[in-house]
Amino acid sequence: MALLTYDGTRPWAKAIKAAVVSKKMPPWFADPKYGHWANDRSLKQTDIDKLIAWADNGAPEGAAKDKPAPIQWTEGWNISKPDLVVEMPVDYKVPAKGTVEYTYMIVPTGFTQDRWVQSIEVRPGNRAVVHHANVYIRRPGSKWLREYPVNTPFVPTEQKNSSSAGAPLSDENVAGFTPGKQTVTLGGSDAKLIPAGADIVFQMHYTTNGQEGVDRTKIGFVFAKGQPETRVARIAAANVALAIPPGAANYTVEASTTLKTETTLVSLKPHMHLRGKAMEFRAIYPTGEKEILLNVPRYDFNWQTEFILDKPKVLPKGTRLEVTAAFDNSPNNKFNPDPTKLVKWGDQSWEEMAIGYFEVGFPTKLDLPQVLAMGQVPFSD
C-alpha cells in the first residue's frame, strides 16, 4: 500500500502498529552492535512509541499547518535527472512458462573519453518478469563475450554449461536492480569509471509468471562535475563450491579475498537466495587484529539491502576480507523450495549463492586488478 496521504494511510493503522512493534518494517537487518550506517532506516524506540500511541488513539489526523509538501518525483527516477540513459535497444520477450537462463545484451557507449559517474540507477522495463538485473562495464580490451553480437539478446554457452558467465575482475559490475536495493549515489570526490570505448553489458534474470511479458530495461547515469580523487568499485568474496546438505538448519560456508593496496570501505552487501539465513563480514588486518564489519543475523531474500557506512573506513594493504554465510535448508524454512535436496551454487532462486560484496575506494590512478588479490570474479548475483 502507498503511504503518501493521510486518507490512504489511516486504514492501515493497526497493521502499521504490528509491523513496527515486530520490527518487520521498516526493513533493516544490521546488528546494531557493529557499524554505523548512512542509510539506516530502522526506527528509534521513541518513533515506534509514537506510532503505537497514534494507532491506539484512533489514528487521528495531524494539524493541517504541519502537513508536508507533496514529494516531487524526478520523472520516475530515484536519482536526480540522468545525464545519460542507456536502454536495451530491443524488447526481450519473456515466455509464460519455463526457466529462462541469464540473458545478456551488449550496448556500446560510443564514449571517446573516460566518464566518471556519481549516481546510477537501473530501472526494469517490466518488474513483473525482471527478477534482477546486473549492469557491467566491458573495457575496450576485454575478451569477455566478444564472440557474441551487440544490441541483441543472447545466452552465452558458458552460462548454459556452468551456471556462470561471470566477467573478469577488470570488467566491473557498476550497478544492479534487486528488490529493496537502493540506487548508487556517491558524494564528494568519489565516482565510478566508465572508460572510453567501453560497452554496457546488461545481464538479465527473468522469471516466468504464467503470462508472456516484454521487457526493455534501462540504466541512468549522473556524471561527476569534475575530476574525482577516488574511484569506487565493487569487489567480492564468494564460495562457489558450496554444497548444503538436505535438511541442514544452520549450514555455514566461508569466503575471503585480500587487498593488495590500501582502500577505503564504502559499503557492504550480503547475497544469498531462499535458503540464506545470516551473514557476517569481517576484516582481518595485517597486525592480526579482527574486526566485525557487519552482522546480518536475519537475512531476507526479499530485501536485497546494501549497507552504506556513515564514514568510509580505511583498510590497510594486506587486509583480508572474510564472510561467513549461514543457510537453512530445513523444513522449518518456509521459503525453502525443497528441504530434501542437496543444494549447490547456481543462478536460479532454488539454487544458492554465497557472496559478500564490498564497495571500496582507491586512487583513480589504480585499476581493479591492482587492488584485489583475486584475479577473477566467476559469478554474478
Side-chain angles (χ1 to χ4, degrees):
M1 66 284 197
L3 303 176
L4 298 177
T5 66
Y6 171 74
D7 290 337
T9 303
R10 189 186 184 282
W12 299 98
K14 290 183 179 180
I16 290 171
K17 173 185 172 181
V20 299
V21 167
S22 66
K23 298 189 177 179
K24 181 179 180 181
M25 295 293 287
W28 185 253
F29 309 104
D31 184 337
K33 294 195 293 290
Y34 307 103
H36 300 281
W37 313 101
N39 59 329
D40 187 344
R41 52 193 175 199
S42 61
L43 292 178
K44 296 178 180 178
Q45 188 59 47
T46 53
D47 295 325
I48 294 173
D49 292 342
K50 287 179 182 178
L51 286 168
I52 293 171
W54 174 72
D56 288 346
N57 291 320
E61 186 173 10
K65 65 181 179 62
D66 296 330
K67 185 177 180 180
I71 295 174
Q72 299 298 313
W73 304 106
T74 308
E75 297 180 2
W77 293 92
N78 293 302
I79 58 176
S80 58
K81 185 177 179 180
D83 296 314
L84 173 70
V85 176
V86 177
E87 188 174 42
M88 290 166 46
V90 297
D91 291 341
Y92 183 79
K93 296 181 180 180
V94 180
K97 299 179 180 179
T99 300
V100 183
E101 294 280 358
Y102 278 22
T103 302
Y104 292 70
M105 194 175 300
I106 300 168
V107 184
T109 64
F111 289 169
T112 58
Q113 60 182 3
D114 292 350
R115 301 303 304 263
W116 294 92
V117 293
Q118 287 195 301
S119 295
I120 312 173
E121 182 178 355
V122 178
R123 294 190 62 82
N126 184 348
R127 289 174 184 248
V129 294
V130 176
H131 177 278
H132 78 263
N134 283 312
V135 176
Y136 294 84
I137 302 300
R138 185 174 70 175
R139 302 170 69 92
S142 173
K143 297 180 181 179
W144 182 47
L145 304 176
R146 287 292 174 186
E147 64 271 37
Y148 299 101
V150 300
N151 295 326
T152 187
F154 62 91
V155 176
T157 302
E158 55 266 49
Q159 184 77 41
K160 300 175 185 176
N161 294 340
S162 66
S163 294
S164 178
L169 178 61
S170 57
D171 292 330
E172 185 192 347
N173 177 352
V174 292
F177 165 80
T178 51
K181 177 178 170 58
Q182 299 95 338
T183 59
V184 175
T185 302
L186 303 172
S189 60
D190 294 352
K192 293 199 170 195
L193 173 65
I194 305 179
D199 300 320
I200 302 292
V201 180
F202 289 91
Q203 181 205 63
M204 306 299 301
H205 182 182
Y206 295 110
T207 50
T208 58
N209 60 15
Q211 295 182 335
E212 291 185 351
V214 175
D215 175 64
R216 190 180 284 200
T217 289
K218 58 188 175 183
I219 182 169
F221 299 98
V222 176
F223 296 132
K225 304 308 179 188
Q227 177 66 27
E229 297 177 5
T230 302
R231 176 181 170 185
V232 174
R234 171 180 281 192
I235 61 176
N239 188 327
V240 299
L242 61 84
I244 307 169
N250 190 38
Y251 184 80
T252 60
V253 300
E254 308 285 337
S256 67
T257 189
T258 302
L259 298 171
K260 293 166 66 175
T261 188
E262 180 179 287
T263 71
T264 54
L265 181 63
V266 177
S267 69
L268 301 161
K269 180 188 175 186
H271 181 73
M272 299 176 283
H273 290 172
L274 294 170
R275 295 171 177 85
K277 180 179 181 179
M279 187 175 284
E280 182 181 273
F281 291 69
R282 298 178 300 276
I284 310 299
Y285 298 112
T287 59
E289 178 188 1
K290 179 176 76 172
E291 180 180 9
I292 296 176
L293 302 170
L294 167 69
N295 182 40
V296 177
R298 185 175 61 85
Y299 176 80
D300 190 332
F301 183 61
N302 297 300
W303 294 94
Q304 301 281 320
T305 305
E306 191 147 359
F307 299 89
I308 303 170
L309 279 71
D310 63 345
K311 295 179 181 179
K313 176 185 288 290
V314 176
L315 300 175
K317 177 182 177 180
T319 298
R320 187 169 77 251
L321 301 173
E322 299 181 340
V323 297
T324 300
F327 298 89
D328 184 356
N329 194 23
S330 76
N332 294 327
N333 177 2
K334 66 180 181 180
F335 300 111
N336 193 346
D338 188 348
T340 69
K341 292 291 180 88
L342 173 71
V343 184
K344 295 186 177 183
W345 180 280
D347 296 331
Q348 304 299 331
S349 298
W350 56 85
E351 299 168 313
E352 268 303 338
M353 292 186 177
I355 310 173
Y357 287 113
F358 302 80
E359 291 268 335
V360 296
F362 49 91
T364 56
K365 64 182 180 180
L366 299 180
D367 206 353
L368 268 173
Q370 298 171 280
V371 173
L372 191 63
M374 182 171 60
Q376 175 91 2
V377 182
F379 53 81
S380 52
D381 63 357

